Amino acid sequence: MRLVKKPTLNDVVKESGLSIFTVSRALNGAEGVSAESRSKVLEAAKSIGYVPNKAARALRTQSPGPVIVMTASTANYYYIDMIDGIQAGLREAKIAMRFADLAPSGEFDAALEDAAVEEAMQSRATGLISTLTLSPENYVKLTRWGIPAVFVDSQPPVSPLGAASVTTDNADATAQVGEHLAFHHIKDWVLLIYPHLWSTRASREAGLRAAAARHGAALTVLESHNDPDSARAVLDGYLSQRGSRKPFALVAGNNPMLQGAFTALRDRRLRIPEDVVLIAFDEFAWAPLLDPPLTVVDEDSRSIGELAARKLTAIIKRSAAQGSGSIGPVYTAGDVQEVKASLLIRKSCGC
């Protein structure tokens, strides 16, 4: 990958045309700088991507910064298990973790992504693990500051700077679901799924569409916001239009989708699996305890989190070995890893 130089205080001096004394005081909010000069310094710093270091004391004592973990809603149990795995992996390297939820209500907030990336740079984070594909601008910022990133549950950015990820083969996962539905001779499939903003949407839908085509099944895709209330409303609207046709198969795209689906089905007094064959992403602790026990796609998010943490620490060590002349994480082809999910078959699918 192409290594890029991190902007320094001297770069701000050069860009602004002011003295290092003035630039330093302006960036630190000190007195003795005119409003015009302060504005010129801040504009120059912004234009070249310079971020004042709020963690200088930590750097002087050689204390490593934290790893920032970005998720897309803790309402999804996938992330709870994944974070547990990340903590286990980072504990081995004695690295602390800081957590940022970029979709606290289930809906992505770009401002929260920008703030988390800014915090990563200001705190001189050791690295970043993200469940969302960051904007190209934010990914470039992180790379310029030498902060490596590993992506989980989302596709890594396509970038000449390189990338690292641990993701599930989602097309294969939904293909497994489709094969099992065909085994039960169910020809009417409904996928309740989140928007294309989440990068796993495309491959999950593609895998199920391909399976439906192979087995002559009809697939209906219902899109809702990434929260239980929206999922419930969307499915309820579909059931109103559908009428009394039974049975059909419902595939819920994640835990929030599943929660909304359960509520809508209960409101309609539809029985599982007699009226609705139900399969969902992802496994959670009490899925086997439901009545009937729930058939799920198990991505083993805890193992994925642990893999991501170990991959990140390996990249940190590899990049450090390159020395401080050029700044930028050192990625290799092996840093992009895809793992297989498994279908845990229980009674909600009619077995």
Side-chain angles (χ1 to χ4, degrees):
M1 59 160 276
R2 178 173 59 87
L3 298 179
V4 291
K5 183 178 180 293
K6 180 170 64 177
T8 66
L9 184 68
N10 286 332
D11 293 325
V12 183
V13 170
K14 186 181 299 184
E15 181 72 15
S16 66
L18 300 172
S19 70
I20 191 167
F21 175 82
T22 300
V23 169
S24 178
R25 293 185 69 81
L27 291 173
N28 286 309
E31 297 179 356
V33 181
S34 69
E36 181 182 356
S37 294
R38 192 182 305 277
S39 176
K40 192 172 184 179
V41 168
L42 295 177
E43 185 176 333
K46 183 178 179 180
S47 71
I48 66 173
Y50 177 81
V51 179
N53 185 1
K54 291 184 178 180
R57 182 176 301 173
L59 284 178
R60 284 196 297 270
T61 59
Q62 300 301 306
S63 299
V67 164
I68 308 294
V69 178
M70 298 181 179
T71 74
S73 176
T74 49
N76 190 340
Y77 286 96
Y78 175 96
Y79 297 132
I80 296 174
D81 290 341
M82 183 198 74
I83 290 170
D84 186 44
I86 290 172
Q87 287 180 318
L90 293 179
R91 197 177 301 122
E92 297 175 2
K94 298 181 179 180
I95 298 175
M97 184 190 85
R98 190 175 298 168
F99 169 75
D101 189 346
L102 305 190
S105 60
E107 192 160 348
F108 170 70
D109 187 336
L112 290 179
E113 177 189 314
D114 293 342
V117 169
E118 189 81 3
E119 172 63 20
M121 293 187 294
Q122 290 182 350
S123 65
R124 296 303 191 267
T126 299
L128 182 141
I129 296 175
S130 178
T131 68
L132 301 99
T133 302
L134 301 178
S135 71
E137 296 79 12
N138 280 333
Y139 190 61
V140 169
K141 285 181 182 179
L142 289 170
T143 304
R144 292 182 72 181
W145 281 95
I147 301 173
V150 175
F151 294 86
V152 293
D153 195 44
S154 63
Q155 293 302 310
V158 177
S159 171
L161 303 174
S165 63
V166 182
T167 57
T168 300
D169 186 343
N170 281 287
D172 176 76
T174 45
Q176 291 183 55
V177 171
E179 294 302 315
H180 195 67
L181 294 176
F183 168 79
H184 282 287
H185 306 290
I186 302 291
K187 296 289 187 179
D188 191 354
W189 304 353
V190 176
L191 173 63
L192 179 61
I193 195 74
Y194 39 81
H196 280 284
L197 168 67
W198 318 107
S199 63
T200 55
R201 157 70 185 272
S203 52
R204 288 185 180 180
E205 182 178 337
L208 201 58
R209 283 195 181 280
R214 282 195 302 273
H215 296 287
L219 175 63
T220 300
V221 177
L222 305 178
E223 180 179 300
S224 95
H225 292 301
N226 198 18
D227 67 88
D229 290 340
S230 298
R232 174 187 181 182
V234 167
L235 182 57
D236 187 67
Y238 168 76
L239 293 173
S240 295
Q241 296 177 357
R242 180 183 176 86
S244 58
R245 287 183 293 124
K246 304 172 189 174
F248 69 96
L250 175 63
V251 181
N254 62 20
N255 293 157
M257 305 282 105
L258 174 65
Q259 184 180 339
F262 264 131
T263 307
L265 296 177
R266 181 198 61 194
D267 292 345
R268 296 272 173 175
R269 297 184 179 180
L270 292 172
R271 300 166 301 160
I272 302 170
E274 292 85 359
D275 301 326
V276 181
V277 167
L278 182 60
I279 300 177
F281 287 79
D282 295 280
E283 173 70 327
F284 53 97
W286 52 89
L289 307 179
L290 296 173
D291 185 18
L294 184 67
T295 295
V296 297
V297 176
D298 181 17
E299 300 183 73
D300 193 359
S301 61
R302 190 188 187 285
S303 293
I304 286 176
E306 195 164 351
L307 278 171
R310 288 176 175 170
K311 188 178 293 292
L312 180 62
T313 56
I315 295 168
I316 292 167
K317 292 177 182 177
R318 182 194 311 145
S319 301
Q322 298 294 311
S324 58
S326 296
I327 303 299
V330 179
Y331 297 111
T332 68
D335 290 330
V336 175
Q337 182 177 358
E338 192 172 63
V339 298
K340 296 288 186 182
S342 57
L343 186 64
L344 302 183
I345 298 171
R346 303 183 181 118
K347 293 184 179 180
S348 70
C349 63
C351 286

